[in-house]
């Protein structure tokens, strides 16, 4: 298998850049760059790196990892070089001339870690989320996944279901022997435990998914109440065009931001009014649709004008716009002066944080599908078990496919696992 | 020199089935047995079938094999296991009279066309490069064979242990063959060591039956063969007794004298059939173990006490047996013993049970690491059919996980090998709901027609049955009823307005033909066995529909063949561990590769890509 290498840090000027090299020939390959030997595994040391013609390329800090003690599970070397584009290019070019060396495909280091059993699938997903995490809530959630919480939970659910399946299979395959005749109460207990855990995950999915991909908050209101000015103030830049002319915003303007650690996309929409302008009408229809799909709506109003064309939900926030022009009681906000802006942000964060409370471990669509599929099959298994012994073959089938579904989160289940459980639990054999 | 298409070595369950299958295909077949008295003998417990095993017997019968017919002729107590559970997990089982069994087997084998039987000891193969071209007997005579099937059970380095006494031999009283053994060693096949045990055989006349609970057979016996109508022999009951604290104490005190616990045995025994020593050590808190007292025949005083196999010395066996209720004065006719033997790692075989590296040589039965008559016979069928097909220049037959327990077993053996004597369980079959004992003929007999290994009598019977089933189902699927019509006839149903066919109604487990005939009186014209079969098919129809997708996915994977010459070492991106495992198993298809322990979806995708590339290169 090839030895792969790549720049582990962003390409371009920086204080330090890191080149990572992984594969069976990592040590021998890097030795070609050195006039002395590699440092001891997991001990850093300064080394001079030379090109083919013996010319000094850079001075770098080297770290070597033995096979089985590295991220990929293969021999790995890290070159901590000076962050110069010229040094980066020269070293990468030089490495690619080495026999059996090639530049890594995207994600290949992680893939090798997966294939060498260093990470399971859910941890790989966690790692991807962690690298992409931009806010504190995303980091926390990704870290839970990466540290293996979902994998551990899945193993636990799977263990319980395998135990339940083993009990049922024992009464089927060893009907003539001394196994307990009625195992249904233990089986039902195990299934219900798992179902209630999984239900919890499904309920938390919406929140987890939002933390991963961001919440949507729509600013809605009549034309010229200051929606775009508010958006710009929240974004701290001129994202939307503002003017005193009603109907300036026609299409939807989105800005992503970090509100107290939460990933939020704020949406500015066309002001809601009756208009003959064809393009503005399309914009208003879009505004209504996006606003109703959003997680939260901020209704920016003119106190004299109460017309609402978008349904208001319980958590939605109503504030009075152009607060600078109207010094009145109640919450008002001014995008122009920033008055009331912090209070508004607090309100938005409070509303959204409430929804992150039940965030579960199932954070991807793939997880949700596996979990819901498992619940559906376990529900039918429970029904069939309660109906009695003559349905054992059917309930066992439901359970078998439930185990298959839950295992897809981490790996594949095997009938030998069930037989192992059977044999360690019962004294079998006439 | 005599020339045969197929030579079968060994006359046990695998050998008989193999020879019979080969001859049915019209291949000139020779069966060589060490002694005529070994042909068709039941060497262990006097029973056929059970859960998973009963399924195998039905499937053998559906291919017009021999075991089902013989077991029906010899059955003296028939019981359908799991009678109260769904039909998919019901397995037919029978106690068999040893003498009747052997007589029926010999009658079929000796009366079969294209099949010769001789007594003799094969001491060597005739080998030409990677080909076995025939066999040599002890008397020096040579027999040429296009294909050879080896079914010699535990003869490879078989050692029998009774306490600290041990001697070499296949079974009690058999001599071990060493020459052939050396020849097989020279093939350098991967091997392992297993062990199994038997209980002491008791004299029925010294058992106090009046004190014991008796277990009769079923009132309406379920037979093995689709051709059989009713049992041929007189029906009897088995006795049930239990070990007790005193029994356990005797065994515990003498554990060091047991061959197994005294360190004389290195082979691995089956977890589902532990010796009584094992049971007492591993499940120390269990105060009593059940024993079935199974008669070995109608005119035979021998009793097989199922549940107390042992390798303790004879005097200890006597002591512990006599501590058991009903056995206080029992005399032992033949002591129990443990046997250790070598098996060939079945991963060296392909789906036809032929050695991957050796043309013309097939292995079947216990030598492949399995246990049980039924598992042996099913392998005999596979090896016999394929040896004959290949001798006749025809393509092979491969049984699939999705069409039979036979397919499940072969696939398990050749892809995962064995770690203990392999026995069939229904839980090994992921498509258990469609692979039922009741529909084995519907699944396999058409396949047997295609091969041409079915008697005309069976063909007529099967065609008639299928014709009735199809006509009955046609009526049922084309008759629709409203929820009101259904509830007016007295069946509680959702009044959802949806019309349901009579076949849909039959998929409700509590629905029966008595009710259906209220709705469709003409349905009574179908005999009750046809109705019962249609009911079973309907019961699982929805689940089978659901499993179809899984089956299709599996069949897709089974259809993707991996080139035998693929060099796993050169594949980039496979872990070293997987490379080793793949190289050892050399899977024939992607489906087999996916079952290798530790296989990941990523690695499978990689394999697929490589195969595609390989095929393109071959075309170019």
């Amino acid at each position: 298998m090839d030895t792969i290498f790549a720049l582990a840090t962003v390409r371009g000027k920086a204080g330090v850049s890191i080149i990572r090299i992984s594969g069976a020939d990592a040590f021998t390959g890097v030795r070609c760059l050195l006039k002395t030997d590699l440092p001891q595994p997991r001990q850093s040391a300064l080394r001079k790196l030379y090109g083919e013609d013996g010319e000094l390329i850079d001075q770098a800090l080297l770290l070597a990892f033995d096979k089985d003690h590295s991220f990929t599970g293969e021999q790995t070397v890290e070159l901590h070089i000076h962050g110069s584009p010229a040094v980066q290019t020269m070293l990468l070019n030089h490495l690619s001339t080495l026999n059996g060396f090639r530049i890594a495909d995207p994600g290949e280091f992680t893939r090798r870690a997966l294939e060498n059993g260093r990470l399971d699938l859910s941890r790989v997903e966690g790692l991807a989320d962690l690298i992409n995490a931009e806010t504190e809530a995303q980091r926390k959630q990704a870290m839970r996944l990466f540290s293996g919480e979902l994998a551990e939970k899945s193993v636990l659910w799977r263990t319980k279901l395998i135990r339940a399946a083993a009990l049922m299979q024992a009464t089927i395959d060893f009907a003539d022997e001394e196994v307990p005749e009625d195992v249904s109460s233990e089986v039902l207990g195990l299934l219900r435990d798992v179902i209630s855990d999984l239900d919890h995950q499904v309920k938390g999915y919406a929140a987890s998914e939002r933390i991963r991909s961001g919440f949507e908050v729509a600013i809605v209101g009549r034309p010229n109440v200051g929606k775009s000015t508010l958006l710009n103030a929240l974004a701290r830049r001129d994202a939307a065009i503002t003017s005193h002319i009603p109907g300036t915003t026609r299409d939807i303007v989105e800005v992503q931001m970090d509100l107290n650690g939460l990933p939020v996309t704020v949406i500015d929409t066309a002001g809601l009014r009756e208009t003959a302008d064809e393009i503005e009408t399309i914009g208003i229809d879009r505004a209504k649709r996006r606003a109703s799909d959003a997680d939260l709506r901020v209704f920016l109003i003119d106190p004299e004008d109460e017309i609402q064309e978008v349904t208001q939900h319980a958590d939605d926030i109503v504030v009075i716009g152009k607060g600078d022009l109207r010094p009145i009681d109640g919450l008002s906000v001014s995008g122009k002066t920033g008055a009331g802006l912090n209070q508004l942000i607090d309100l938005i964060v409070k509303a959204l944080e409430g929804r992150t409370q039940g965030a579960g471990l199932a954070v991807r669509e793939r997880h949700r599908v596996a979990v819901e599929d498992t619940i559906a099959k376990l529900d039918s298994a429970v029904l069939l078990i309660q109906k009695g012994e003559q349905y054992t073959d059917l309930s066992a089938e439901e359970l078998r496919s439930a185990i298959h579904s839950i295992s897809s989160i981490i790996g594949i289940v095997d009938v030998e696992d069930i037989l192992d459980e059977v044999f360690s639990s019962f004294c079998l054999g006439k | 020199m005599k020339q045969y298409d197929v030579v079968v070595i060994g006359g046990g369950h695998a050998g008989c089935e193999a020879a019979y299958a080969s001859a049915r295909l019209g291949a000139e077949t020779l069966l060589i047995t060490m002694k005529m008295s070994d042909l068709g003998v039941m060497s262990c417990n006097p029973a056929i079938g059970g859960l998973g095993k009963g399924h195998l017997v039905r499937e053998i019968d559906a291919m017009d094999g021999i075991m089902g017919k013989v077991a029906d002729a010899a059955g003296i107590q028939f019981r359908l296991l799991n009678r109260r559970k769904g039909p998919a997990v019901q397995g037919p089982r029978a106690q068999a009279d040893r003498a009747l069994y052997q007589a029926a087997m010999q009658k079929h084998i000796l009366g079969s066309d294209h099949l010769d039987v001789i007594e003799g000891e094969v001491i060597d193969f005739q080998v030409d490069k990677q080909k076995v071209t025939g066999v040599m007997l002890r008397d020096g005579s040579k027999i040429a064979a296009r294909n050879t099937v080896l079914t010699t059970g535990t003869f490879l380095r078989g050692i029998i242990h009774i306490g600290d006494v041990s001697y070499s031999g296949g079974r009690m009283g058999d001599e071990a063959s060493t020459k052939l053994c050396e020849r097989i060693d020279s093939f350098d096949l991967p091997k392992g060591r297993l062990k199994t045990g038997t209980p002491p055989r008791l004299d029925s006349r010294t058992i106090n039956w009046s004190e014991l609970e008796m277990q009769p057979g079923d009132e309406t016996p379920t037979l093995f063969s689709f051709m059989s109508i009713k049992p041929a022999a007189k029906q009897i009951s088995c006795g049930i007794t239990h070990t007790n604290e005193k029994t356990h104490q005797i065994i515990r005190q003498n554990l060091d004298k047991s061959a197994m616990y005294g360190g004389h045995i290195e082979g691995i025994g089956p977890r589902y059939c532990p010796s009584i020593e094992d049971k007492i050590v591993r499940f120390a808190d269990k105060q009593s173990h059940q024993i079935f007292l199974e008669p070995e025949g109608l005119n035979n005083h021998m009793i097989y006490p199922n549940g107390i196999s042992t390798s303790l010395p004879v005097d200890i066996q006597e002591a512990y047996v006599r501590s058991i209720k009903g056995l206080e004065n029992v005399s032992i006719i033949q002591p129990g013993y443990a046997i250790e033997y070598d098996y060939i790692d079945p991963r060296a075989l392909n789906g036809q049970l032929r050695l991957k590296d050796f043309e013309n040589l097939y292995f079947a039965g216990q030598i492949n690491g399995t246990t049980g008559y039924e598992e042996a016979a099913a392998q005999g069928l596979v090896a016999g059919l394929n040896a004959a097909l290949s001798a006749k220049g025809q393509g092979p037959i491969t049984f699939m996980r999705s069409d039979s327990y036979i397919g499940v077993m072969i696939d398990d053996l050749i892809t995962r090998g064995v770690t203990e004597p392999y026995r069939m369980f229904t839980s090994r079959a992921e498509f258990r709901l469609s692979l039922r004992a009741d529909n084995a003929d519907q699944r396999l007999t058409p396949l047997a027609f295609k091969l041409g290994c079915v008697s005309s009598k069976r063909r007529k019977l099967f065609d008639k049955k299928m014709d009735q089933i199809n006509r009955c189902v046609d009526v049922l699927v084309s008759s629709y009823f409203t929820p009101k019509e259904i509830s007016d006839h007295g069946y509680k149903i959702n009044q959802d307005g949806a019309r349901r066919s009579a076949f849909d109604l039959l998929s409700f487990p509590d629905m029966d033909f008595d009710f259906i005939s209220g709705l469709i009186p003409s349905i009574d014209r179908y005999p009750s066995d046809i109705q019962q079969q249609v009911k079973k098919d309907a019961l699982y129809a929805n689940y089978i529909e659901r499993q179809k997708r899984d089956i299709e996915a599996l069949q897709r994977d089974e259809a993707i063949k991996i080139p035998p010459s693929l060099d796993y070492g050169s594949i980039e991106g496979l872990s070293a561990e997987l490379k080793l495992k793949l190289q050892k198993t050399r899977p024939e298809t992607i489906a087999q590769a996916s079952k290798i322990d530790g296989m990941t979806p990523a690695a499978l995708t990689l394999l697929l890509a490589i195969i595609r590339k390989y095929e393109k290169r071959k075309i170019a």
Side-chain angles (χ1 to χ4, degrees):
Chain A
M1 194 175 359
D2 282 350
T3 297
I4 54 171
F5 61 90
L7 201 58
T9 47
V10 177
R11 198 172 175 94
K13 283 183 201 168
V16 175
S17 285
I18 300 174
I19 291 176
R20 184 158 54 164
I21 302 147
S22 171
D25 294 329
F27 286 4
T28 32
V30 173
R31 278 189 194 111
C32 299
L33 306 174
L34 304 176
K35 287 191 174 164
T36 48
D37 200 12
L38 283 166
Q40 288 298 306
R42 290 191 284 174
Q43 287 180 19
S44 62
L46 196 64
R47 290 286 186 272
K48 284 179 176 144
L49 306 177
Y50 297 93
E52 262 168 303
D53 48 5
E55 191 198 346
L56 181 65
I57 302 176
D58 192 16
Q59 270 197 2
L61 204 60
L62 258 64
L63 257 175
F65 301 90
D66 274 329
K67 178 176 170 289
D68 298 329
H69 289 98
S70 70
F71 171 73
T72 55
E74 302 170 333
Q75 265 188 15
T76 300
V77 182
E78 285 180 9
L79 313 176
H80 297 227
I81 56 174
H82 293 106
S84 131
V87 171
Q88 292 164 5
T89 308
M90 189 144 179
L91 276 171
L92 292 175
N93 285 344
H94 186 34
L95 284 171
S96 59
T97 63
L98 297 177
N99 202 10
F101 273 55
R102 67 171 166 80
I103 196 113
D105 293 332
E108 197 173 1
F109 288 97
T110 310
R111 189 173 138 173
R112 289 192 176 188
L114 177 74
E115 281 171 2
N116 291 322
R118 307 289 294 180
L119 293 174
D120 66 52
L121 207 49
S122 75
R123 282 185 175 90
V124 168
E125 289 165 336
L127 180 60
D129 284 355
L130 184 63
I131 289 170
N132 289 322
E134 293 187 345
T135 76
E136 178 61 7
Q138 286 177 327
R139 185 194 63 76
K140 275 190 183 153
Q141 178 163 298
M143 206 56 216
R144 281 173 79 190
L145 198 57
F146 178 59
S147 65
E149 266 193 64
L150 179 62
E152 278 163 27
K153 279 271 189 186
S154 306
V155 168
L156 190 76
W157 295 324
R158 188 166 162 275
T159 310
K160 283 187 180 175
L161 296 183
I162 283 177
R163 166 78 187 164
L167 287 167
M168 292 181 63
Q169 300 295 7
T171 63
I172 291 173
D173 268 334
F174 302 94
D176 221 18
E177 306 189 14
E178 290 173 285
V179 291
E181 289 219 342
D182 185 16
V183 295
S184 55
S185 72
E186 188 181 345
V187 170
L188 285 175
L190 287 163
L191 299 196
R192 285 186 181 127
D193 270 7
V194 175
I195 291 173
S196 107
D197 264 17
L198 293 181
D199 273 340
H200 187 75
Q201 294 300 329
V202 170
K203 285 194 190 111
Y205 172 73
S208 319
E209 201 277 330
R210 278 293 175 266
I211 292 177
R212 212 172 80 79
S213 56
F215 289 94
E216 279 191 1
V217 175
I219 307 173
V220 285
R222 302 284 294 168
N224 211 21
V225 289
K227 296 185 293 299
S228 299
T229 313
L230 176 60
L231 176 83
N232 288 345
L234 285 168
R236 298 200 191 94
R237 64 185 168 93
D238 280 342
I241 302 166
T242 55
S243 80
H244 63 278
I245 303 164
T248 304
T249 306
R250 301 213 163 171
D251 209 348
I252 286 160
V253 181
E254 301 181 9
V255 179
Q256 285 170 6
M257 56 190 81
D258 177 343
L259 293 185
N260 280 17
L262 293 176
V264 176
T265 302
V266 178
I267 301 165
D268 180 24
T269 59
L272 306 175
R273 68 168 170 182
E274 294 291 329
T275 172
D277 184 323
E278 206 177 312
I279 294 170
E280 195 184 350
T281 309
I282 296 172
I284 290 169
D285 283 346
R286 279 192 190 175
K288 286 184 191 164
R289 231 175 315 138
R290 278 301 287 272
S292 17
D293 289 348
D295 297 289
L296 186 75
R297 282 145 295 276
V298 174
F299 287 91
L300 206 56
I301 56 163
D302 186 331
E304 281 103 62
D305 190 16
E306 294 281 326
I307 303 157
Q308 300 279 325
E309 289 184 60
V310 173
T311 318
Q312 189 180 331
H313 294 257
D315 275 0
D316 286 351
I317 298 164
V318 181
V319 286
I320 294 160
K322 296 190 176 173
D324 50 313
L325 303 179
R326 307 185 182 89
I328 49 166
D329 288 346
L331 179 62
S332 70
V333 66
S334 164
K336 209 165 175 184
T337 64
L341 203 60
N342 284 340
Q343 288 99 307
L344 177 62
I345 291 175
D346 283 349
L347 280 176
I348 295 174
V349 167
K350 220 175 113 197
L352 296 179
E353 264 179 351
R355 301 187 196 182
T356 66
Q357 286 311 310
L361 294 167
V363 303
R364 286 179 181 240
E365 178 68 6
R366 185 179 81 80
H367 304 153
R368 185 188 60 79
V369 170
V371 166
E372 286 188 345
D373 198 39
T374 310
I375 294 176
K377 280 161 184 161
L378 291 179
D379 281 344
S380 0
V382 166
L383 270 175
L384 288 161
I385 292 168
Q386 285 168 334
K387 278 182 161 180
E389 197 184 15
Q390 72 265 40
Y391 298 90
T392 309
D393 50 351
L394 300 181
S395 49
E397 168 60 22
E398 295 287 0
L399 190 50
R400 187 189 71 82
S401 50
I403 293 175
H404 200 75
S405 298
I406 199 71
S407 306
S408 69
I409 292 179
I410 40 168
I412 297 163
V413 78
D414 193 332
V415 62
E416 284 296 329
D417 292 338
I418 294 173
L419 289 176
D420 282 345
E421 177 69 29
V422 169
F423 294 133
S424 60
S425 307
F426 303 110
C427 176
L428 294 167
K430 290 189 291 192
Chain B
M1 188 169 52
K2 266 216 115 177
Q3 158 94 39
Y4 284 92
D5 290 331
V6 176
V7 165
V8 177
I9 307 168
H13 299 274
C16 285
E17 205 67 66
Y20 193 68
S22 166
R24 279 205 310 289
L25 284 174
E28 293 309 318
T29 308
L30 173 69
L31 189 155
I32 306 172
T33 175
M34 294 261 262
K35 280 179 290 191
M36 214 39 123
S37 60
D38 284 349
L39 189 68
V41 80
M42 301 179 97
S43 50
C44 191
N45 64 321
I48 296 286
L51 294 159
K53 290 164 171 281
H55 290 74
L56 286 173
V57 181
R58 278 287 174 86
E59 291 178 356
I60 293 168
D61 187 68
M63 298 295 295
D64 213 3
I66 199 167
M67 182 173 249
K69 293 182 270 192
V70 169
D72 286 342
I76 51 177
Q77 186 211 40
F78 289 88
R79 285 172 59 226
L80 182 64
L81 303 184
N82 280 339
R83 185 173 277 281
R84 287 189 314 238
K85 298 188 180 106
V89 294
Q90 291 172 356
R93 183 186 190 277
Q95 293 300 141
D97 178 306
R98 258 182 217 294
L100 290 176
Y101 191 94
Q102 191 176 14
M105 183 65 89
Q106 296 205 350
K107 195 184 104 201
H108 282 287
I109 292 285
L110 299 174
S112 180
D113 290 342
H114 309 290
L115 177 54
D116 293 343
V117 180
I118 59 165
E119 215 175 49
E121 185 190 351
V122 173
I123 57 162
D124 203 354
F125 292 127
Q126 293 173 264
V127 177
D128 176 14
K129 290 176 196 150
Q130 291 295 96
K131 265 173 107 167
V132 170
T133 57
V135 298
M136 193 201 285
L137 302 184
R138 183 169 290 285
D139 64 9
S141 59
K142 292 175 181 169
I143 298 163
R146 285 214 165 84
N147 285 319
T148 303
V149 183
L150 190 71
T151 70
T152 45
T154 57
F155 93 118
L156 282 178
R157 265 175 288 278
I159 297 179
I160 285 173
H161 299 267
I162 305 178
D164 54 4
V165 186
S166 63
Y167 43 93
S168 71
R171 288 192 289 270
M172 266 318 225
D174 287 354
E175 312 153 37
S177 151
T178 50
K179 273 217 165 168
L180 186 58
C181 205
E182 283 162 16
R183 170 62 83 174
I184 291 170
D185 278 349
S186 77
F187 293 165
D188 207 17
L189 302 171
K191 281 197 280 284
R193 199 152 176 81
L194 295 172
K195 74 137 213 280
T196 183
T198 64
R201 313 296 167 90
L202 310 177
D203 187 335
S204 154
R205 294 164 296 188
T206 59
I207 294 175
N208 189 356
W209 292 100
S210 61
E211 278 189 32
L212 299 176
E213 181 193 336
M214 297 303 283
Q215 183 183 49
D218 290 343
E219 270 180 40
T220 29
T222 304
L223 304 193
F224 290 107
S225 175
F226 289 97
M227 312 273 284
S228 302
I229 298 157
K230 58 181 206 309
K234 194 182 118 199
Q235 300 296 294
I236 52 98
S237 295
C238 290
I240 297 176
T241 184
H242 296 88
T243 62
N244 53 49
E245 195 35 57
K246 198 173 156 208
T247 322
H248 296 193
Q249 206 184 333
I250 296 168
I251 293 166
R252 238 176 272 138
Q253 278 166 358
N254 292 287
L255 269 182
D256 57 328
K257 294 181 192 150
S258 150
M260 256 182 46
Y261 281 87
H264 302 287
I265 294 183
E266 41 169 319
I268 299 163
R271 289 174 296 180
Y272 45 81
C273 190
S275 64
I276 188 69
E277 294 98 296
D278 244 354
K279 289 185 186 183
I280 283 161
V281 172
R282 281 177 40 208
F283 297 89
D285 52 342
K286 208 156 184 270
Q287 278 155 16
S288 165
H289 297 276
Q290 185 173 262
I291 305 166
F292 285 88
L293 299 173
E294 304 175 348
E296 301 217 347
L298 297 170
N299 303 308
N300 184 336
H301 301 302
M302 197 117 78
I303 294 291
Y304 186 98
N306 204 339
I308 50 170
S309 78
T310 183
S311 59
L312 284 161
V314 182
D315 56 322
I316 312 294
Q317 293 188 24
E318 204 146 76
Y320 86 71
V321 169
R322 288 185 176 169
S323 72
I324 295 167
K325 189 178 156 194
L327 308 181
E328 295 84 354
N329 301 307
V330 84
S331 60
I332 291 178
I333 298 176
Q334 184 191 308
Y337 59 90
I339 176 164
E340 273 193 290
Y341 54 96
D342 280 359
Y343 71 95
I344 303 297
D345 183 340
R347 283 174 293 189
L349 305 171
N350 69 8
Q352 288 75 48
L353 296 182
R354 202 203 75 205
L355 277 181
K356 283 179 185 164
D357 289 335
F358 239 88
E359 272 178 66
N360 315 65
L361 185 57
Y362 296 74
F363 281 50
Q366 205 167 4
I367 193 167
N368 291 340
T370 63
T371 173
Y373 308 146
E374 304 80 357
E375 287 83 351
Q379 291 171 68
L381 177 83
V382 172
L385 287 175
N386 278 296
L389 287 168
S390 137
K392 293 166 69 183
Q394 295 173 18
I397 159 140
T398 309
F399 290 86
M400 301 287 186
R401 294 191 80 86
S402 50
D403 68 26
S404 57
Y405 276 74
I406 299 177
V408 171
M409 173 175 69
I410 303 288
D411 189 56
D412 281 350
L413 291 175
I414 66 172
T415 57
R416 336 178 68 146
V418 301
T419 50
E420 66 182 328
Y422 180 95
R423 171 179 149 183
M424 185 44 78
F425 300 110
T426 70
S427 43
R428 293 194 193 274
E430 58 271 51
F431 304 119
R432 180 164 69 187
L433 299 183
S434 30
L435 307 185
R436 307 191 304 275
D438 65 74
N439 70 359
D441 56 343
Q442 295 186 43
R443 290 185 278 120
L444 296 178
T445 303
L447 192 69
F449 286 168
K450 256 193 238 161
L451 292 178
C453 63
V454 182
S455 70
S456 58
K457 192 175 157 204
R458 183 184 292 266
R459 178 158 204 153
K460 255 184 237 150
L461 216 69
F462 178 76
D463 284 344
K464 189 176 160 209
K465 175 179 171 183
M466 286 317 294
D467 179 56
Q468 285 185 306
I469 287 179
N470 291 336
R471 276 191 290 149
C472 179
V473 170
D474 280 347
V475 173
L476 294 168
V477 294
S478 56
S479 312
Y480 280 86
F481 302 94
T482 64
K484 185 159 182 312
E485 284 172 303
I486 295 162
S487 58
D488 283 352
H489 274 81
Y491 184 82
K492 267 204 357 216
I493 194 159
N494 239 348
Q495 294 294 320
D496 52 8
R499 284 153 57 87
R500 290 176 176 84
S501 77
F503 193 77
D504 291 340
L505 284 178
L506 275 175
S507 74
F508 300 134
D510 55 349
M511 173 61 73
D512 55 26
F513 264 90
D514 282 349
F515 182 86
I516 298 292
S517 71
L519 294 169
I520 317 171
S522 69
I523 210 77
D524 277 346
R525 111 162 71 112
Y526 296 97
S528 82
D529 58 329
I530 294 295
Q531 291 188 352
Q532 276 172 31
Q533 189 57 50
V534 170
K535 165 70 193 170
K536 286 171 191 160
D537 294 340
L539 185 60
Y540 295 106
N542 295 328
Y543 281 89
I544 288 168
E545 191 56 40
R546 199 169 92 180
Q547 284 195 335
K548 247 189 198 156
R549 251 176 310 151
D550 296 352
I551 292 180
E552 277 162 14
L554 177 67
Q555 282 171 344
R556 253 198 320 274
D557 289 352
E558 279 170 343
I560 303 173
K561 306 272 183 248
I562 302 176
S565 55
L566 188 66
D567 174 16
Y568 295 99
S570 69
I571 298 178
E572 288 169 15
L574 276 184
S575 71
E577 191 193 343
L578 267 180
K579 276 185 191 173
L580 259 175
K581 281 184 179 161
L582 283 162
Q583 225 131 24
K584 192 163 176 200
T585 311
R586 278 186 289 152
E588 294 174 76
T589 65
I590 280 287
Q592 289 178 7
S594 72
K595 279 191 293 290
I596 289 172
D597 176 43
M599 181 58 73
T600 64
L604 268 187
T605 321
L606 190 64
L607 267 186
L608 261 177
I610 304 275
I611 294 167
R612 297 259 154 76
K613 217 159 79 186
Y614 195 92
E615 279 165 355
K616 265 190 210 147
R617 230 188 5 237
K618 242 176 43 188
I619 294 161

